Amino acid sequence: MRPVRKAIFPVAGLGTRFLPATKAQPKEMLTVIDKPLIQFAVEEALDAGITHLIFVIGRTKRSIADHFDGNPELDALLRSKGKDDMADYLRNIVPSHCCCIYFRQAEALGLGHAVACAAPVIEEDEPFAVLLADDLMNGPVPILTQMVRQHENTGRSVLAVQEVPRSEVSSYGIVDTDMASEGSLSRVRAMVEKPSADSAPSNLAVVGRYILDGRIMQMLKTQAPGKGGEIQLTDAIVRLIDGPGIDAYRFDGQRYDCGSKIGFIEATMAHALAHPEFGPEVRRMMKAMMASEEGKAELAD
Ligand code: G1P
């Protein structure tokens, strides 16, 4: 079995849920404290042993390529000011044994189409990861690393899943799993993209981490448009169920939907509270703000 060494980052979406911030900048470059979402996803991939970072970009996404490129002027400036630590950090965002590959998705025809743009660099017998950077994921062990470990045991594709309220199933790919299986891993029996609440087979949603069988690239080439007229990754995954098989994995950790403003606020608050340098100060600020809000509410009563 080949190890998972390549990860695809589909970053060509228009980010309409986050306007006006995303009018001219990609949503993946929105920063939580001081780091863009895409860098969180790249760090998670590197931790999992990924060496080939494959970005599927669209128009207005140049800043992503710039972010992962060298910046000699900035490097020289930082070093001249004695800020060698920051210069070294920036230089190692992409370690020297790793490489970045870019594909342009000319038209936003769906997530399945975006993933298929990277087909030229994925071999048929080669498993690969897909990370959706607007899902910011944290865990005691990085989520993709947890999934790679599962894949090493089974050789099957792995989808990260979590339970969501019934009212939200229409925003996700929803899986029906083998009820007999207990614990964090279960076999997927069916999967449907964004079903209505009453037709959904469960409330177990696929979130933005996948380890997929290389053969899915062939399936994506012939995948007809599905939900919303888009070429859906979900529909091609369904075609793997009866072949090599798929596992749903309940990961150990949190996921923040940073494609939505409220999810982004939650992620920012959680990261601010956990920040080694600013955490204690942020906690004091939040307490003071809450006390002041409560005081105002009491006065108004
Ligand atoms: C995509 C997938 C969906 C998945 C979701 C996770 O949807 O199509 O199956 O559940 O990501 O975030 P999107 O959010 O791009 O509409």
Side-chain angles (χ1 to χ4, degrees):
M1 186 176 59
R2 294 180 63 170
V4 184
R5 291 284 178 259
K6 295 178 182 167
I8 301 176
F9 302 87
V11 287
L14 295 177
T16 50
R17 285 193 294 160
F18 225 119
L19 288 166
T22 47
K23 183 166 178 254
Q25 77 163 332
K27 63 179 170 181
E28 296 81 5
M29 286 301 285
L30 295 171
T31 54
V32 171
I33 318 293
D34 56 2
K35 198 189 288 182
L37 291 172
I38 187 69
Q39 193 182 329
F40 283 97
V42 162
E43 287 175 0
E44 189 184 326
L46 294 171
D47 185 85
I50 299 296
T51 53
H52 291 61
L53 306 161
I54 306 162
F55 300 89
V56 179
I57 59 174
R59 287 189 304 279
T60 78
K61 303 282 179 165
R62 265 219 24 215
S63 56
I64 293 179
D66 289 345
H67 187 72
F68 293 106
D69 201 0
N71 186 337
E73 296 81 12
L74 181 60
D75 188 87
L77 181 71
L78 288 170
R79 289 183 197 285
S80 74
K81 291 178 181 292
K83 296 185 176 175
D84 292 75
D85 286 355
M86 180 51 80
D88 291 343
Y89 169 84
L90 295 180
R91 200 177 263 188
N92 287 317
I93 289 178
V94 178
S96 55
H97 69 282
C98 297
C99 65
C100 295
I101 302 168
Y102 295 92
F103 288 95
R104 275 287 277 242
Q105 186 188 20
E107 285 177 279
L109 296 180
L111 180 58
H113 179 259
V115 170
C117 288
V121 293
I122 304 289
E123 287 163 39
E124 219 181 311
D125 62 344
E126 186 178 30
F128 63 95
V130 176
L131 294 95
L132 308 183
D134 50 357
D135 276 333
L136 177 53
M137 319 262 288
N138 294 130
V141 172
I143 310 304
L144 194 69
T145 301
Q146 295 178 32
M147 294 170 70
V148 163
R149 289 180 188 163
Q150 299 298 333
H151 179 263
E152 281 167 358
N153 288 335
T154 64
R156 286 191 294 274
S157 297
V158 190
L159 313 177
V161 295
Q162 70 172 181
E163 282 174 13
V164 297
R166 274 264 162 194
S167 56
E168 291 176 18
V169 292
S170 62
S171 300
Y172 296 94
I174 300 292
V175 291
D176 181 21
T177 58
D178 183 353
M179 287 318 209
S181 44
E182 296 262 322
S184 55
L185 207 64
S186 51
R187 285 296 277 269
V188 173
R189 291 191 301 210
M191 182 173 174
V192 39
E193 180 69 6
K194 305 195 172 102
S196 61
D198 42 335
S199 69
S202 76
N203 64 339
L204 208 50
V206 174
V207 292
R209 301 292 182 272
Y210 309 73
I211 293 178
L212 297 171
D213 190 297
R215 282 170 282 189
I216 201 168
M217 288 300 188
Q218 280 304 323
M219 291 164 186
L220 281 169
K221 275 187 193 157
T222 58
Q223 190 57 55
K227 190 87 186 180
E230 296 189 340
I231 297 173
Q232 296 291 353
L233 183 59
T234 294
D235 296 340
I237 292 174
V238 167
R239 292 160 71 188
L240 289 177
I241 294 174
D242 290 332
I246 310 270
D247 289 327
Y249 175 63
R250 291 170 199 254
F251 58 93
D252 179 14
Q254 297 85 35
R255 167 238 178 199
Y256 302 101
D257 174 14
C258 288
S260 81
K261 292 177 186 175
I262 194 70
F264 188 84
I265 291 169
E266 188 187 11
T268 304
M269 287 166 70
H271 280 77
L273 283 171
H275 197 282
E277 190 181 342
F278 309 121
E281 182 63 22
V282 169
R283 192 171 302 272
R284 274 195 293 279
M285 282 179 193
M286 281 189 184
K287 271 191 185 157
M289 282 183 206
M290 293 301 295
S292 144
E293 287 295 312
E294 278 159 19
K296 276 187 215 155
E298 265 169 36
L299 283 178
D301 281 345

